[in-house]
Amino acid sequence: MHRFFVEPNQVSEASIFISGEDFKHITKVLRLGKDDVIEVCDGQGADYQVTLNSPGEQTVSGRITSQYPSRGETPELEITLFQGLPKGTKMEVIIQKSVELGVYAVVPFSSQRAISQIKDKPNKKIERWQRIAYEAAKQSKRGIIPAIRLPQTLKDVLKAVDRYDLMILAYEDENLLTLKAALADFEKNCDQKREANKPLKIGVIIGPEGGFDPQEAAACKAAGVITVSLGQRILRTETAGMVVLSQLNFWK
Ligand code: SAH
């Protein structure tokens, strides 16, 4: 079934309204019309099955016949990927794949050994990355469009540690603690009083190609970040985040 994202204000109690690009796509490209059934997502985790009415000039409306939580979401986890800025167009692949793997938000950051920096037009970059997140969310049938936030510095990232239940740094020079052991520790010690129906907020920090400077790793630890090893092999920056995301999915 064809599925479309709409803004929450396009959804009323019993009907939805679609205009703009999606209207053209539905009526001109897919040639859907009266009594055809589509699926619509409000981008906030709710999906609707909708039976279309006859299209108007610029808008098509439809009747909501059922509503259900988007199947592409895992409501128990909310993972933000803090990604050290990689070279070239790698960030695009990282965004696409992490959206497929269920990421909640992606925040690029610059650090000492980052080769690439966003010097000019950061908003243009974000706009492009957000578009990639939208396409990937559509393709993978997510219930939200993960936000791509403006680049930060590692310092800024560390200021936000308190907002997460668990903040992990994948650190190539960590020899002792594996991700598996860190998650087991967290489960043992995590606050039992945490509201059961609230998502677990996890931040994952991945270094750029050049990795982390020991001082940066020390600053992360001092801020309450848990440094973990992903094993003996050194993974490329675009691989490391995906490994953590899939392991977190396996865990919850
Ligand atoms: N240049 C570094 C490697 C950087 S890899 C070196 O040669 O040592 C890029 C990023 O991926 C790292 O900063 C880290 O966040 C993550 N990463 C890659 N392999 C990892 C591993 N085995 N354990 C933990 N993190 C890893």
Side-chain angles (χ1 to χ4, degrees):
M1 197 185 325
H2 296 287
R3 187 164 178 277
F4 299 88
F5 277 114
V6 294
E7 300 287 334
N9 65 10
Q10 290 172 263
V11 183
S12 72
E13 203 156 297
S15 13
I16 56 108
F17 302 87
I18 296 177
S19 50
E21 281 300 309
D22 282 342
F23 166 77
K24 280 191 214 149
H25 191 68
I26 289 171
T27 55
K28 307 276 189 311
V29 181
L30 300 170
R31 297 184 175 280
L32 300 177
K34 190 169 158 43
D35 294 337
D36 286 326
V37 178
I38 61 170
E39 192 171 58
V40 167
C41 177
D42 67 359
Q44 302 192 337
D47 277 13
Y48 303 85
Q49 201 163 88
V50 170
T51 304
L52 292 177
N53 300 320
S54 295
E57 282 292 303
Q58 294 185 8
T59 310
V60 60
S61 64
R63 279 172 293 116
I64 295 172
T65 54
S66 61
Q67 178 189 347
Y68 37 92
S70 308
R71 285 178 284 256
E73 294 307 308
T74 17
E76 52 280 6
L77 274 186
E78 202 177 281
I79 307 169
T80 299
L81 174 64
F82 295 93
Q83 172 67 52
L85 270 170
K87 285 192 275 185
T89 54
K90 272 187 193 172
M91 196 67 208
E92 299 184 3
V93 178
I94 291 171
I95 289 169
Q96 184 192 60
K97 300 302 168 209
S98 60
V99 169
E100 289 170 39
L101 288 168
V103 83
Y104 176 76
V106 181
V107 184
F109 70 90
S110 58
S111 58
Q112 287 197 31
R113 295 189 186 162
I115 298 158
S116 159
Q117 305 281 346
I118 299 188
K119 290 197 192 76
D120 38 48
K121 304 207 181 105
N123 289 326
K124 267 253 138 55
K125 271 251 154 78
I126 293 291
E127 216 174 273
R128 175 163 174 74
W129 289 340
Q130 192 64 67
R131 179 80 202 173
I132 290 167
Y134 166 78
E135 296 292 349
K138 226 176 144 177
Q139 182 274 325
S140 59
K141 299 198 195 302
R142 292 289 306 269
I144 64 163
I145 302 165
I148 314 302
R149 300 213 298 265
L150 266 177
Q152 301 190 352
T153 60
L154 184 60
K155 238 186 178 167
D156 294 324
V157 172
L158 295 183
K159 278 188 211 144
V161 171
D162 287 352
R163 287 194 223 136
Y164 295 84
D165 297 306
L166 173 65
M167 187 79 126
I168 297 168
L169 168 76
Y171 185 37
E172 58 276 21
D173 289 336
E174 169 64 47
N175 300 314
L176 294 174
L177 192 65
T178 60
L179 175 59
K180 187 175 175 177
L183 292 174
D185 279 355
F186 173 75
E187 274 199 311
K188 227 191 301 155
N189 302 327
C190 93
D191 187 0
Q192 298 297 324
K193 291 186 297 252
R194 225 173 47 82
E195 284 173 64
N197 49 5
K198 275 221 175 131
L200 197 58
K201 288 189 173 189
I202 301 184
V204 177
I205 310 177
I206 302 292
E209 285 90 350
F212 287 108
D213 180 284
Q215 279 175 1
E216 290 178 318
C220 288
K221 278 188 197 171
V225 177
I226 312 290
T227 60
V228 302
S229 162
L230 302 177
Q232 297 304 316
R233 291 178 291 271
I234 295 295
L235 309 171
R236 284 186 185 262
T237 182
E238 66 270 35
T239 312
M242 305 313 115
V243 165
V244 176
L245 284 171
S246 44
Q247 293 194 13
L248 289 173
N249 283 335
F250 179 72
W251 173 61
K252 277 285 154 195

